[in-house]
Amino acid sequence: MATHAGRCLWRVLAPHRGCIIPGLDRRLAAASAMVSAAPPFRLYAAAAKPANRSSQKTRKEETKKKQVPRRRPLMAKPVDDVYLTWHYERPSYEVEKAVEMLKKFQELDFTYPKQFVYINVFLDMALQKKKKVEPFTSTVVLPYRFSDQTNKVLVFTENEQEAEIARENGAAVVGGVELIKWILEDEIQVDSYIAVPEIMPKLIPLRSKLKRKYPNTKKNSLGHDIPKMLQLYRDGLEYAVQDECVIKTRIARLDMPTEQIIANLKTVINDICTFKPLTYGPFVQRLVIRSSTSEGLLLHLDGLLPQVEKVEEKEEDAEGDEEKHVPESAST
């Protein structure tokens, strides 16, 4: 476009170039040559800016240097009755005091006195390296019952004497292979299933149906001691690991004596700790107790968890005792 304008100007001034300005023709020729040599002009294109890598590096370094604002250390105990809870550490209580507090909450709130008491157990599932404890389910018989309801238990056996023993000890359903069809069609529904070892090869079609309720020696639902298995699954408390590391279960009623509530609590905790060797450290990380209508109270773990016995010291003591009892004739 610029070259076209220069040519038009040359044509207009060409007839009068000698009389207007001397040397105009040479100047116009030089100007037209410069215009033709210039790169094409883009009306709407912005000039490209070279990328400034140094500025990008400095920005990244600045973001790295920016430190995360440190949170104020939490204070131990509030001074006043009204305070912001997130400025203070969560208080923890001895189990006896926590149970008494739950009873006091019930009296102040005028809630149901026979409400259930619950615990939330937070576990450390880690083992060596990348291994961890698999989520588990267990059943435990508590020293003090807190519910009049009993679980319905089905017993698999084809022995008439074992079937009679099962009925005498409170089995809801007793039978053999004929029960498989009714269970698959959901015509029989119970809480637990136990069996004797002789009938297990015939129960394979029920494995996918019963899943974790399938009779197993590890869960004490497979064996010959039918009365003991029935007592465990009729009167026992079943709990399971949820969300990979949490157990939530009820353990008592709030109107029970404090000693009975604590005894049930310790029984459940001791059973939980059997699923991880004590040599790997404490299995229970946090323990919270609450009632149906109260807030959760964090408990001290001292005195509630089983302690690791010092096996090495015991062995050394035993070796020392043996050396003392060595007769003189043998030593000479």
Side-chain angles (χ1 to χ4, degrees):
M1 190 172 179
T3 55
H4 181 68
R7 291 174 182 175
C8 293
L9 182 62
W10 173 264
R11 291 175 183 175
V12 171
L13 298 177
H16 308 283
R17 61 182 181 273
C19 60
I20 298 174
I21 300 173
L24 180 61
D25 52 351
R26 286 180 293 176
R27 295 181 184 180
L28 291 176
S32 61
M34 292 175 62
V35 170
S36 60
F41 180 71
R42 295 182 294 176
L43 294 177
Y44 303 102
K49 294 181 179 180
N52 192 353
R53 296 182 180 180
S54 60
S55 62
Q56 294 178 359
K57 290 181 180 180
T58 53
R59 289 177 184 176
K60 291 181 180 180
E61 292 176 357
E62 288 177 359
T63 54
K64 289 182 180 179
K65 289 181 181 178
K66 287 182 180 179
Q67 297 181 355
V68 179
R70 293 183 179 180
R71 189 175 180 181
R72 289 180 56 186
L74 299 177
M75 292 176 282
K77 290 184 179 181
V79 180
D80 301 325
D81 295 335
V82 180
Y83 58 92
L84 298 175
T85 56
W86 54 84
H87 286 175
Y88 298 88
E89 296 178 358
R90 184 176 182 179
S92 58
Y93 307 93
E94 298 292 340
V95 62
E96 294 84 1
K97 184 179 180 181
V99 174
E100 293 299 330
M101 290 175 65
L102 294 180
K103 293 178 178 289
K104 191 67 175 179
F105 293 159
Q106 181 272 322
E107 295 177 1
L108 296 175
D109 296 338
F110 299 98
T111 54
Y112 184 55
K114 294 184 178 182
Q115 58 186 287
F116 291 115
V117 177
Y118 297 84
I119 57 171
N120 295 349
V121 188
F122 299 86
L123 306 176
D124 180 14
M125 307 289 280
L127 293 174
Q128 287 183 346
K129 298 181 180 179
K130 295 183 179 180
K131 295 182 180 180
K132 65 178 182 178
V133 180
E134 295 296 330
F136 56 87
T137 303
S138 181
T139 304
V140 60
V141 177
L142 300 178
Y144 300 99
R145 290 179 54 84
F146 60 89
S147 177
D148 298 331
Q149 298 179 353
T150 57
N151 300 322
K152 295 181 179 180
V153 183
L154 184 148
V155 179
F156 287 109
T157 180
E158 293 180 333
N159 188 313
E160 289 298 331
Q161 295 180 353
E162 293 176 340
E164 188 63 26
I165 294 173
R167 295 188 186 96
E168 292 175 357
N169 286 272
V173 182
V174 181
V177 184
E178 69 277 2
L179 301 178
I180 296 177
K181 180 180 178 181
W182 296 346
I183 295 173
L184 292 174
E185 294 177 355
D186 293 331
E187 294 184 7
I188 295 179
Q189 294 183 355
V190 294
D191 298 311
S192 302
Y193 300 84
I194 64 177
V196 294
E198 290 78 11
I199 200 174
M200 287 304 296
K202 302 177 182 180
L203 300 182
I204 294 177
L206 293 176
R207 184 184 292 274
S208 59
K209 177 69 176 179
L210 301 183
K211 296 180 180 178
R212 64 182 181 87
K213 293 184 178 181
Y214 191 75
N216 191 345
T217 53
K218 293 183 179 179
K219 297 180 180 180
N220 298 319
S221 58
L222 177 62
H224 289 286
D225 195 347
I226 295 177
K228 184 178 180 180
M229 292 188 296
L230 279 172
Q231 182 186 7
L232 175 63
Y233 283 94
R234 286 184 75 248
D235 304 330
L237 172 71
E238 183 180 8
Y239 63 87
V241 176
Q242 306 173 12
D243 301 329
E244 296 186 355
C245 63
V246 182
I247 294 176
K248 300 179 181 179
T249 183
R250 57 186 183 182
I251 58 170
R253 279 199 325 266
L254 194 58
D255 62 334
M256 295 172 58
T258 302
E259 296 78 14
Q260 296 183 3
I261 297 176
I262 296 174
N264 285 356
L265 170 63
K266 290 183 177 180
T267 302
V268 175
I269 295 300
N270 289 334
D271 188 72
I272 292 172
C273 291
T274 58
F275 287 88
K276 181 180 178 179
L278 298 178
T279 54
Y280 290 104
F283 193 21
V284 178
Q285 295 293 309
R286 284 190 300 150
L287 179 59
V288 178
I289 189 170
R290 65 177 181 86
S291 65
S292 301
T293 58
S294 74
E295 61 178 293
L297 301 177
L298 185 65
L299 297 181
H300 286 310
L301 297 179
D302 298 336
L304 295 178
L305 304 182
Q307 300 297 324
V308 180
E309 296 182 358
K310 297 182 179 180
V311 181
E312 296 180 357
E313 294 183 0
K314 290 186 176 181
E315 291 179 355
E316 291 178 358
D317 295 339
E319 290 176 359
D321 295 337
E322 289 177 359
E323 291 177 358
K324 290 180 182 179
H325 293 291
V326 173
E328 294 180 0
S329 60
S331 60
T332 56

